Amino acid sequence: MKLKIRPFKKVLLYYIIIPVTAFFAVILFSFSLLLTKVIQDNTLRQTQELSATVQNGVDEALLYMDALSKDIAGSPSIQQAFSELSGANGEDMTAQLASLTDSILPMLSRQGAGVQVQLYQVDNGVFSAGAYHGYEAYQTSFKYWYDVVMVKNGEMHISVPYEDKRLSEAISLPPDTLYVSLLRTFFDENGKPLGIVEIQQLYTSIYQDVIELETGDGHRLMIFDNYGYKMVPRNYENDNYYYQFSYRITQNKPYEITSEETGRRELIQTIKSDFSEQSFVFVLDKNTILEPVYKYQILFVALSMLFIAILVGLLFYTAHIVSDPIRKIQRQIAEFDLKDQTDETAVTSTKVEELNNLSAAFSDMKEKLNDSMSRLLLAQSQEMQSRMLLLQNQINPHFLYNSLAVIAVMAEEGMREEIVATCDAMADILRYLSA
């Protein structure tokens, strides 16, 4: 089987450049995976901590409202005064309202948990204290939250954000100012529902930390109530799109989706408050998270290509230094002819000492071969001449003797013409041998 010999440059390509390129590719892939995991884990941990901080801030504001609501609902004096409102009129009504106001306002100002308190009778009236005071007939069952609050049987309920122009006017705020209410049913000493207590607070006071949170990097924090209504931010696009994924997410295990709006990959991480039952959903733009990885990959590829280009240049320069002199020596060997004694072999000059030594050794070998061939040819010529002389010395006596004997016989026979021809031939032979 004939061995296939590759050119030196192909050997460099197959055994150095390709393996080095593969090595850099493996390094890039492995380190990218590691860097992706580290950055993603760190980002998720930071956003989880941020979500927990925001949740604690929101829960703290709601806790103040809840404490005020419980204090009002559990106050015997408030329960008594409120229960007597239904049948009161005239001076009795005024006395009861004053009693309620005097009881509620200190609580409201002391805890700073709200800007307004509303006490709704189960069916036909509402008492107000705080920014404005008074009592008015009102069909409580018309409120959208009425059924939910009554079903919760004394447990708190947090309303969705809403506008209250009357309250905004009373505290000199724009009419589109938003409020959030904490509501619960309160009962008399026999466990019979007396009404519903509502603590109203500014929306910005509860969710200030979230409103001020501007990541500026494509990330978003949204808050949903237990019914999937988006509390923050106050826009109405895709209210339930992200909330539906919060049920699939477990703590510290984000859910990855492709956004319907942008088509970009997003990570959804959620924390649910045990107190308010609100879900804090952090939506992370994965491309933004992994931007350092992409920059590293671009930098690594650029540096790798630069390194490989330099390596290729050095290798091909080395190949040029090594292979070109070898080709010259190979050509000299191919053109070497022992018959041509005038050919002089020039020593190939290279930057590689070993190749210079090889070229000099070949030139020396060629000169020695030429010298040996010259001596051999001379020896052969001298040997041939010696043999010819020996043969000449051996043949002269016998030849002359035999030739003379033949001429004598031809003379006896009278062969005159033959004798003349024989003598001429014999003269030619002796002339040649004597030359």
Side-chain angles (χ1 to χ4, degrees):
M1 179 178 179
K2 185 178 180 181
L3 179 63
K4 184 178 181 181
I5 301 177
R6 295 189 179 97
F8 188 58
K9 292 181 180 179
K10 286 188 177 180
V11 173
L12 294 177
L13 177 66
Y14 293 151
Y15 295 102
I16 296 181
I17 298 175
I18 292 178
V20 168
T21 304
F23 172 76
F24 278 118
V26 171
I27 292 295
L28 175 63
F29 178 76
S30 303
F31 196 73
S32 295
L33 287 181
L34 177 61
L35 190 61
T36 297
K37 185 178 187 306
V38 170
I39 292 177
Q40 184 169 303
D41 290 347
N42 287 340
T43 303
L44 292 174
R45 184 177 65 254
Q46 292 172 1
T47 55
Q48 185 177 9
E49 293 172 355
L50 179 59
S51 298
T53 301
V54 172
Q55 175 205 329
N56 291 335
V58 172
D59 284 353
E60 184 177 4
L62 294 175
L63 276 169
Y64 282 122
M65 297 173 67
D66 184 55
L68 176 59
S69 173
K70 287 180 178 178
D71 289 345
I72 293 173
S75 172
S77 60
I78 293 177
Q79 291 178 7
Q80 182 178 357
F82 187 74
S83 64
E84 293 175 357
L85 275 179
S86 298
N89 52 47
E91 294 182 357
D92 290 340
M93 172 69 74
T94 302
Q96 299 301 331
L97 292 177
S99 175
L100 285 172
T101 303
D102 292 341
S103 299
I104 291 175
L105 286 181
M107 296 181 181
L108 188 61
S109 61
R110 182 179 69 249
Q111 298 189 21
V115 294
Q116 185 72 11
V117 175
Q118 310 278 14
L119 297 180
Y120 293 90
Q121 293 175 326
V122 174
D123 47 10
N124 60 359
V126 57
F127 167 77
S128 303
Y132 61 90
H133 316 290
Y135 176 83
E136 59 184 321
Y138 189 85
Q139 190 64 40
T140 307
S141 60
F142 287 170
K143 285 286 188 178
Y144 73 91
W145 40 253
Y146 177 80
D147 292 333
V148 175
V149 174
M150 294 301 292
V151 167
K152 286 193 172 183
N153 197 32
E155 296 296 325
M156 74 170 184
H157 171 73
I158 301 171
S159 73
V160 298
Y162 60 90
E163 297 177 3
D164 189 330
K165 292 182 173 59
R166 181 180 179 184
L167 179 56
S168 297
E169 183 179 355
I171 56 179
S172 301
L173 291 176
D176 59 351
T177 301
L178 294 175
Y179 302 88
V180 174
S181 293
L182 186 147
L183 307 107
R184 64 165 19 96
T185 307
F186 66 102
F187 307 86
D188 61 17
E189 59 184 8
N190 298 319
K192 181 180 178 181
L194 284 176
I196 296 174
V197 57
E198 177 185 19
I199 310 298
Q200 293 179 275
Q201 180 59 287
L202 288 167
Y203 172 80
T204 53
S205 296
I206 300 174
Y207 298 106
Q208 187 65 36
D209 292 341
V210 187
I211 296 172
E212 292 179 349
L213 181 64
E214 294 291 343
T215 60
D217 50 12
H219 304 332
R220 288 169 287 170
L221 176 59
M222 294 175 281
I223 302 177
F224 296 89
D225 67 9
N226 198 36
Y227 302 96
Y229 186 88
K230 186 163 62 175
M231 308 288 285
V232 182
R234 293 300 299 153
N235 59 60
Y236 301 94
E237 298 178 0
N238 292 324
D239 274 357
N240 296 315
Y241 176 67
Y242 291 103
Y243 179 72
Q244 64 179 318
F245 295 105
S246 64
Y247 291 103
R248 311 179 192 179
I249 303 171
T250 57
Q251 198 82 346
N252 300 323
K253 292 183 179 179
Y255 192 83
E256 184 172 344
I257 65 168
T258 300
S259 172
E260 292 183 348
E261 297 178 356
T262 63
R264 296 166 68 90
R265 293 181 301 166
E266 295 178 331
L267 293 174
I268 302 179
Q269 189 177 41
T270 187
I271 297 178
K272 189 165 186 177
S273 170
D274 295 330
F275 171 68
S276 66
E277 297 185 340
Q278 292 182 337
S279 297
F280 295 75
V281 180
F282 222 121
V283 181
L284 307 171
D285 189 319
K286 193 168 184 180
N287 291 334
T288 302
I289 295 175
L290 300 182
E291 185 174 353
V293 179
Y294 302 147
K295 290 182 179 178
Y296 154 77
Q297 290 175 337
I298 293 173
L299 178 62
F300 186 88
V301 169
L303 292 177
S304 299
M305 291 179 65
L306 177 62
F307 177 82
I308 292 174
I310 295 174
L311 179 63
V312 169
L314 291 175
L315 291 176
F316 274 77
Y317 177 70
T318 304
H320 173 74
I321 292 176
V322 174
S323 60
D324 286 357
I326 291 177
R327 279 197 296 269
K328 290 180 180 179
I329 296 174
Q330 183 182 13
R331 186 167 56 251
Q332 290 176 355
I333 295 173
E335 295 174 352
F336 176 62
D337 187 1
L338 289 175
K339 296 179 180 179
D340 187 3
Q341 301 297 321
T342 62
D343 183 30
E344 293 185 0
T345 302
V347 178
T348 301
S349 179
T350 70
K351 297 180 180 180
V352 182
E353 183 179 356
E354 288 77 5
L355 292 178
N356 291 336
N357 294 337
L358 178 62
S359 178
F362 172 72
S363 298
D364 184 57
M365 179 193 69
K366 184 176 180 182
E367 291 177 1
K368 290 180 179 179
L369 284 176
N370 287 334
D371 186 55
S372 298
M373 288 300 298
S374 298
R375 290 198 300 269
L376 178 61
L377 291 175
L378 179 60
Q380 289 178 347
S381 176
Q382 291 175 349
E383 181 182 3
M384 183 62 69
Q385 290 178 359
S386 299
R387 288 182 179 180
M388 288 295 293
L389 290 173
L390 180 61
L391 181 61
Q392 182 178 359
N393 293 332
Q394 290 178 352
I395 200 174
N396 285 342
H398 297 285
F399 178 72
L400 292 175
Y401 174 78
N402 293 332
S403 298
L404 291 174
V406 171
I407 293 173
V409 172
M410 288 193 305
E412 292 176 356
E413 294 293 332
M415 301 171 62
R416 182 180 177 181
E417 294 181 0
E418 285 79 358
I419 291 173
V420 173
T422 301
C423 288
D424 291 337
M426 184 177 174
D428 291 338
I429 290 173
L430 292 176
R431 188 182 299 110
Y432 175 77
L433 291 175
S434 62

